[in-house]
CSV table of all heavy atoms in Angstrom, one decimal:
chain,number,residue,atom,x,y,z
U,102,PRO,N,18.0,-31.8,-10.9
U,102,PRO,CA,19.0,-32.6,-11.4
U,102,PRO,C,19.0,-32.7,-12.9
U,102,PRO,O,20.1,-32.9,-13.5
U,102,PRO,CB,18.7,-34.0,-10.8
U,102,PRO,CG,17.2,-33.8,-10.5
U,102,PRO,CD,17.0,-32.5,-10.1
U,103,LYS,N,17.9,-32.6,-13.6
U,103,LYS,CA,18.0,-32.7,-15.0
U,103,LYS,C,18.6,-31.5,-15.6
U,103,LYS,O,19.3,-31.6,-16.6
U,103,LYS,CB,16.5,-33.0,-15.5
U,103,LYS,CG,15.9,-34.2,-15.2
U,103,LYS,CD,14.5,-34.5,-15.8
U,103,LYS,CE,13.9,-35.8,-15.5
U,103,LYS,NZ,12.5,-35.9,-16.1
U,104,LEU,N,18.2,-30.4,-15.0
U,104,LEU,CA,18.8,-29.1,-15.7
U,104,LEU,C,20.3,-29.0,-15.4
U,104,LEU,O,21.1,-28.8,-16.3
U,104,LEU,CB,18.2,-27.9,-14.9
U,104,LEU,CG,18.7,-26.6,-15.4
U,104,LEU,CD1,18.4,-26.3,-16.9
U,104,LEU,CD2,18.0,-25.5,-14.6
U,105,PHE,N,20.8,-29.5,-14.2
U,105,PHE,CA,22.2,-29.6,-13.9
U,105,PHE,C,22.9,-30.6,-14.8
U,105,PHE,O,24.0,-30.3,-15.3
U,105,PHE,CB,22.5,-29.9,-12.4
U,105,PHE,CG,23.9,-30.0,-12.2
U,105,PHE,CD1,24.8,-29.0,-12.3
U,105,PHE,CD2,24.4,-31.3,-11.6
U,105,PHE,CE1,26.2,-29.2,-12.0
U,105,PHE,CE2,25.8,-31.5,-11.4
U,105,PHE,CZ,26.6,-30.4,-11.6
U,106,ALA,N,22.2,-31.7,-15.1
U,106,ALA,CA,22.9,-32.7,-16.0
U,106,ALA,C,23.2,-32.1,-17.3
U,106,ALA,O,24.2,-32.3,-18.0
U,106,ALA,CB,22.0,-33.8,-16.1
U,107,ARG,N,22.3,-31.2,-17.9
U,107,ARG,CA,22.6,-30.6,-19.1
U,107,ARG,C,23.6,-29.6,-19.1
U,107,ARG,O,24.5,-29.5,-20.0
U,107,ARG,CB,21.1,-29.8,-19.6
U,107,ARG,CG,20.1,-30.9,-20.0
U,107,ARG,CD,18.7,-30.3,-20.5
U,107,ARG,NE,19.1,-29.6,-21.7
U,107,ARG,CZ,18.9,-30.1,-23.0
U,107,ARG,NH1,18.7,-31.5,-23.1
U,107,ARG,NH2,19.1,-29.5,-24.1
U,108,VAL,N,23.6,-28.7,-18.1
U,108,VAL,CA,24.7,-27.8,-17.9
U,108,VAL,C,26.0,-28.4,-17.7
U,108,VAL,O,27.0,-28.1,-18.4
U,108,VAL,CB,24.4,-26.9,-16.6
U,108,VAL,CG1,25.6,-26.0,-16.3
U,108,VAL,CG2,23.1,-26.0,-16.8
U,109,LYS,N,26.0,-29.6,-16.9
U,109,LYS,CA,27.3,-30.3,-16.8
U,109,LYS,C,27.8,-30.9,-18.1
U,109,LYS,O,28.9,-30.9,-18.4
U,109,LYS,CB,27.0,-31.4,-15.9
U,109,LYS,CG,28.4,-32.2,-15.4
U,109,LYS,CD,28.0,-33.1,-14.2
U,109,LYS,CE,29.2,-33.9,-13.8
U,109,LYS,NZ,29.5,-35.1,-14.6
U,110,SER,N,26.8,-31.3,-18.9
U,110,SER,CA,27.2,-31.9,-20.2
U,110,SER,C,27.8,-30.9,-21.2
U,110,SER,O,28.8,-31.2,-21.8
U,110,SER,CB,25.9,-32.4,-20.9
U,110,SER,OG,26.2,-32.9,-22.2
U,111,VAL,N,27.2,-29.6,-21.1
U,111,VAL,CA,27.9,-28.6,-22.0
U,111,VAL,C,29.2,-28.2,-21.4
U,111,VAL,O,30.2,-28.1,-22.1
U,111,VAL,CB,26.9,-27.4,-22.0
U,111,VAL,CG1,27.5,-26.2,-22.8
U,111,VAL,CG2,25.6,-27.7,-22.5
U,112,PHE,N,29.3,-28.2,-20.1
U,112,PHE,CA,30.6,-27.8,-19.4
U,112,PHE,C,31.7,-28.8,-19.8
U,112,PHE,O,32.9,-28.4,-20.1
U,112,PHE,CB,30.4,-27.7,-17.9
U,112,PHE,CG,31.7,-27.2,-17.2
U,112,PHE,CD1,32.0,-26.0,-17.2
U,112,PHE,CD2,32.5,-28.2,-16.6
U,112,PHE,CE1,33.2,-25.6,-16.5
U,112,PHE,CE2,33.6,-27.8,-15.9
U,112,PHE,CZ,34.0,-26.6,-15.9
U,113,GLU,N,31.4,-30.0,-19.8
U,113,GLU,CA,32.4,-31.1,-20.0
U,113,GLU,C,32.8,-31.0,-21.5
U,113,GLU,O,33.9,-31.4,-21.8
U,113,GLU,CB,31.9,-32.4,-19.6
U,113,GLU,CG,31.8,-32.5,-18.1
U,113,GLU,CD,31.2,-33.8,-17.6
U,113,GLU,OE1,30.5,-34.5,-18.5
U,113,GLU,OE2,31.3,-34.2,-16.4
U,114,ALA,N,31.9,-30.7,-22.4
U,114,ALA,CA,32.1,-30.7,-23.8
U,114,ALA,C,32.8,-29.4,-24.3
U,114,ALA,O,33.6,-29.5,-25.3
U,114,ALA,CB,30.9,-31.0,-24.6
U,115,GLN,N,32.5,-28.4,-23.6
U,115,GLN,CA,33.0,-27.1,-23.9
U,115,GLN,C,32.6,-26.6,-25.3
U,115,GLN,O,31.9,-25.7,-25.5
U,115,GLN,CB,34.5,-27.1,-23.8
U,115,GLN,CG,35.1,-27.1,-22.3
U,115,GLN,CD,34.7,-25.8,-21.5
U,115,GLN,OE1,34.9,-24.7,-22.0
U,115,GLN,NE2,34.2,-26.2,-20.3
U,116,GLY,N,33.1,-27.3,-26.3
U,116,GLY,CA,32.7,-27.0,-27.7
U,116,GLY,C,33.4,-25.7,-28.2
U,116,GLY,O,34.4,-25.2,-27.6
U,117,ASP,N,32.8,-25.3,-29.3
U,117,ASP,CA,33.5,-24.1,-30.1
U,117,ASP,C,32.9,-22.8,-29.5
U,117,ASP,O,32.0,-22.2,-30.1
U,117,ASP,CB,33.3,-24.3,-31.5
U,117,ASP,CG,34.0,-23.0,-32.3
U,117,ASP,OD1,35.0,-22.5,-31.6
U,117,ASP,OD2,33.7,-22.8,-33.4
U,118,LEU,N,33.4,-22.4,-28.3
U,118,LEU,CA,32.8,-21.2,-27.6
U,118,LEU,C,33.8,-20.1,-27.5
U,118,LEU,O,35.0,-20.3,-27.5
U,118,LEU,CB,32.3,-21.5,-26.2
U,118,LEU,CG,31.4,-22.7,-25.9
U,118,LEU,CD1,31.2,-22.9,-24.4
U,118,LEU,CD2,30.0,-22.4,-26.8
U,119,ASP,N,33.3,-18.9,-27.6
U,119,ASP,CA,34.2,-17.7,-27.5
U,119,ASP,C,34.5,-17.4,-26.0
U,119,ASP,O,33.9,-18.2,-25.1
U,119,ASP,CB,33.8,-16.5,-28.3
U,119,ASP,CG,32.4,-15.9,-27.7
U,119,ASP,OD1,32.1,-16.1,-26.5
U,119,ASP,OD2,31.7,-15.3,-28.5
U,120,GLN,N,35.3,-16.4,-25.7
U,120,GLN,CA,35.7,-16.1,-24.4
U,120,GLN,C,34.5,-15.8,-23.5
U,120,GLN,O,34.3,-16.3,-22.4
U,120,GLN,CB,36.6,-15.0,-24.3
U,120,GLN,CG,37.0,-14.6,-22.8
U,120,GLN,CD,37.8,-13.3,-22.8
U,120,GLN,OE1,38.9,-13.2,-23.4
U,120,GLN,NE2,37.3,-12.2,-22.1
U,121,VAL,N,33.7,-15.1,-24.0
U,121,VAL,CA,32.4,-14.6,-23.2
U,121,VAL,C,31.5,-15.8,-22.9
U,121,VAL,O,31.0,-15.9,-21.8
U,121,VAL,CB,31.7,-13.4,-23.8
U,121,VAL,CG1,30.4,-13.1,-23.1
U,121,VAL,CG2,32.5,-12.2,-24.0
U,122,GLU,N,31.3,-16.6,-23.9
U,122,GLU,CA,30.4,-17.8,-23.7
U,122,GLU,C,31.1,-18.7,-22.7
U,122,GLU,O,30.4,-19.4,-21.8
U,122,GLU,CB,30.2,-18.5,-25.0
U,122,GLU,CG,29.4,-17.7,-26.1
U,122,GLU,CD,29.4,-18.2,-27.5
U,122,GLU,OE1,30.3,-19.0,-27.8
U,122,GLU,OE2,28.6,-17.9,-28.2
U,123,ARG,N,32.3,-18.9,-22.8
U,123,ARG,CA,33.0,-19.7,-21.8
U,123,ARG,C,32.9,-19.2,-20.4
U,123,ARG,O,32.6,-19.9,-19.4
U,123,ARG,CB,34.5,-20.0,-22.2
U,123,ARG,CG,34.8,-20.9,-23.4
U,123,ARG,CD,36.2,-21.3,-23.3
U,123,ARG,NE,37.1,-20.2,-23.5
U,123,ARG,CZ,37.6,-19.6,-24.5
U,123,ARG,NH1,37.1,-20.0,-25.7
U,123,ARG,NH2,38.4,-18.5,-24.5
U,124,ARG,N,33.0,-17.9,-20.4
U,124,ARG,CA,32.8,-17.2,-19.0
U,124,ARG,C,31.4,-17.5,-18.5
U,124,ARG,O,31.3,-17.8,-17.2
U,124,ARG,CB,33.1,-15.7,-19.2
U,124,ARG,CG,33.2,-15.0,-17.8
U,124,ARG,CD,34.4,-15.3,-17.0
U,124,ARG,NE,34.4,-14.4,-15.7
U,124,ARG,CZ,35.2,-14.6,-14.7
U,124,ARG,NH1,36.0,-15.7,-14.8
U,124,ARG,NH2,35.1,-13.9,-13.7
U,125,LEU,N,30.4,-17.4,-19.3
U,125,LEU,CA,29.1,-17.6,-18.9
U,125,LEU,C,29.0,-19.1,-18.4
U,125,LEU,O,28.4,-19.4,-17.4
U,125,LEU,CB,28.1,-17.2,-19.8
U,125,LEU,CG,26.7,-17.5,-19.5
U,125,LEU,CD1,26.2,-16.5,-18.4
U,125,LEU,CD2,25.7,-17.4,-20.7
U,126,LEU,N,29.4,-20.0,-19.2
U,126,LEU,CA,29.4,-21.5,-18.9
U,126,LEU,C,30.0,-21.7,-17.5
U,126,LEU,O,29.4,-22.5,-16.8
U,126,LEU,CB,30.0,-22.2,-20.0
U,126,LEU,CG,30.0,-23.8,-19.8
U,126,LEU,CD1,28.7,-24.3,-19.5
U,126,LEU,CD2,30.7,-24.5,-21.0
U,127,GLU,N,31.1,-21.2,-17.3
U,127,GLU,CA,31.9,-21.4,-16.1
U,127,GLU,C,31.2,-20.9,-14.8
U,127,GLU,O,31.1,-21.6,-13.8
U,127,GLU,CB,33.3,-20.9,-16.2
U,127,GLU,CG,34.3,-21.6,-17.2
U,127,GLU,CD,35.4,-20.8,-17.4
U,127,GLU,OE1,35.6,-19.7,-16.9
U,127,GLU,OE2,36.3,-21.3,-18.2
U,128,LYS,N,30.6,-19.7,-15.1
U,128,LYS,CA,29.9,-19.0,-14.0
U,128,LYS,C,28.6,-19.8,-13.6
U,128,LYS,O,28.3,-20.0,-12.4
U,128,LYS,CB,29.5,-17.7,-14.3
U,128,LYS,CG,28.8,-16.8,-13.3
U,128,LYS,CD,28.5,-15.4,-13.7
U,128,LYS,CE,27.9,-14.6,-12.5
U,128,LYS,NZ,27.7,-13.2,-12.7
U,129,VAL,N,27.8,-20.3,-14.7
U,129,VAL,CA,26.7,-20.9,-14.3
U,129,VAL,C,27.1,-22.4,-13.6
U,129,VAL,O,26.3,-22.8,-12.7
U,129,VAL,CB,25.8,-21.2,-15.6
U,129,VAL,CG1,24.6,-22.1,-15.4
U,129,VAL,CG2,25.3,-19.9,-16.1
U,130,TYR,N,27.9,-23.0,-14.2
U,130,TYR,CA,28.4,-24.4,-13.7
U,130,TYR,C,28.7,-24.2,-12.2
U,130,TYR,O,28.3,-25.1,-11.3
U,130,TYR,CB,29.5,-24.9,-14.6
U,130,TYR,CG,29.9,-26.3,-14.0
U,130,TYR,CD1,29.0,-27.5,-14.1
U,130,TYR,CD2,31.1,-26.5,-13.6
U,130,TYR,CE1,29.5,-28.6,-13.8
U,130,TYR,CE2,31.5,-27.8,-13.2
U,130,TYR,CZ,30.7,-28.8,-13.2
U,130,TYR,OH,31.1,-30.1,-12.9
U,131,ARG,N,29.6,-23.3,-12.0
U,131,ARG,CA,30.1,-23.1,-10.7
U,131,ARG,C,28.9,-22.7,-9.6
U,131,ARG,O,28.9,-23.1,-8.5
U,131,ARG,CB,31.2,-22.0,-10.5
U,131,ARG,CG,32.6,-22.4,-11.0
U,131,ARG,CD,33.7,-21.5,-10.5
U,131,ARG,NE,33.3,-20.1,-10.7
U,131,ARG,CZ,33.6,-19.5,-11.8
U,131,ARG,NH1,34.2,-20.1,-12.8
U,131,ARG,NH2,33.2,-18.1,-12.0
U,132,GLY,N,28.0,-21.9,-10.2
U,132,GLY,CA,26.8,-21.5,-9.4
U,132,GLY,C,26.0,-22.7,-9.0
U,132,GLY,O,25.5,-22.8,-7.9
U,133,PHE,N,25.8,-23.6,-9.9
U,133,PHE,CA,25.1,-24.9,-9.6
U,133,PHE,C,25.9,-25.7,-8.4
U,133,PHE,O,25.4,-26.0,-7.4
U,133,PHE,CB,25.0,-25.9,-10.7
U,133,PHE,CG,23.7,-25.5,-11.6
U,133,PHE,CD1,23.8,-24.6,-12.6
U,133,PHE,CD2,22.4,-26.2,-11.2
U,133,PHE,CE1,22.6,-24.3,-13.3
U,133,PHE,CE2,21.4,-25.9,-12.0
U,133,PHE,CZ,21.4,-25.0,-13.1
U,134,LEU,N,27.2,-25.8,-8.6
U,134,LEU,CA,28.0,-26.4,-7.6
U,134,LEU,C,28.0,-25.8,-6.3
U,134,LEU,O,27.8,-26.4,-5.2
U,134,LEU,CB,29.4,-26.6,-8.1
U,134,LEU,CG,29.8,-27.5,-9.3
U,134,LEU,CD1,31.2,-27.4,-9.6
U,134,LEU,CD2,29.2,-28.8,-9.1
U,135,ARG,N,28.0,-24.5,-6.3
U,135,ARG,CA,28.0,-23.6,-5.0
U,135,ARG,C,26.7,-23.6,-4.4
U,135,ARG,O,26.5,-23.0,-3.3
U,135,ARG,CB,28.6,-22.3,-5.3
U,135,ARG,CG,30.1,-22.3,-5.6
U,135,ARG,CD,30.5,-21.0,-6.2
U,135,ARG,NE,30.4,-19.8,-5.2
U,135,ARG,CZ,31.0,-19.5,-4.2
U,135,ARG,NH1,32.1,-20.3,-3.9
U,135,ARG,NH2,30.8,-18.5,-3.4
U,136,ASN,N,25.7,-24.1,-5.1
U,136,ASN,CA,24.4,-24.0,-4.5
U,136,ASN,C,23.7,-25.3,-4.3
U,136,ASN,O,22.5,-25.5,-4.3
U,136,ASN,CB,23.6,-23.0,-5.2
U,136,ASN,CG,23.8,-21.6,-5.0
U,136,ASN,OD1,23.4,-21.0,-4.0
U,136,ASN,ND2,24.6,-21.1,-5.9
U,137,GLY,N,24.6,-26.5,-4.2
U,137,GLY,CA,24.2,-27.7,-3.8
U,137,GLY,C,23.7,-28.7,-4.9
U,137,GLY,O,23.1,-29.8,-4.5
U,138,ALA,N,24.1,-28.6,-6.1
U,138,ALA,CA,23.8,-29.3,-7.2
U,138,ALA,C,24.3,-30.8,-6.9
U,138,ALA,O,23.7,-31.8,-7.4
U,138,ALA,CB,24.3,-28.9,-8.5
U,139,LEU,N,25.4,-30.9,-6.2
U,139,LEU,CA,26.0,-32.2,-6.0
U,139,LEU,C,25.6,-32.6,-4.5
U,139,LEU,O,26.1,-33.8,-4.1
U,139,LEU,CB,27.5,-32.3,-6.1
U,139,LEU,CG,28.0,-31.9,-7.6
U,139,LEU,CD1,29.5,-31.9,-7.5
U,139,LEU,CD2,27.4,-33.0,-8.5
U,140,LEU,N,24.8,-32.0,-3.9
U,140,LEU,CA,24.5,-32.3,-2.4
U,140,LEU,C,23.6,-33.6,-2.5
U,140,LEU,O,22.7,-33.7,-3.3
U,140,LEU,CB,23.7,-31.2,-1.8
U,140,LEU,CG,23.6,-31.0,-0.3
U,140,LEU,CD1,24.9,-31.0,0.4
U,140,LEU,CD2,22.7,-29.9,0.1
Side-chain angles (χ1 to χ4, degrees):
K103 291 183 178 179
L104 182 62
F105 176 62
R107 292 183 66 85
V108 171
K109 184 171 182 286
S110 173
V111 179
F112 181 79
E113 290 174 344
Q115 291 292 317
D117 185 21
L118 304 178
D119 63 27
Q120 175 188 301
V121 177
E122 290 169 339
R123 285 196 303 273
R124 184 71 175 168
L125 178 66
L126 176 57
E127 290 166 2
K128 180 175 182 176
V129 172
Y130 181 70
R131 286 199 311 271
F133 273 87
L134 295 183
R135 288 168 58 80
N136 286 278
L139 297 179
L140 198 61

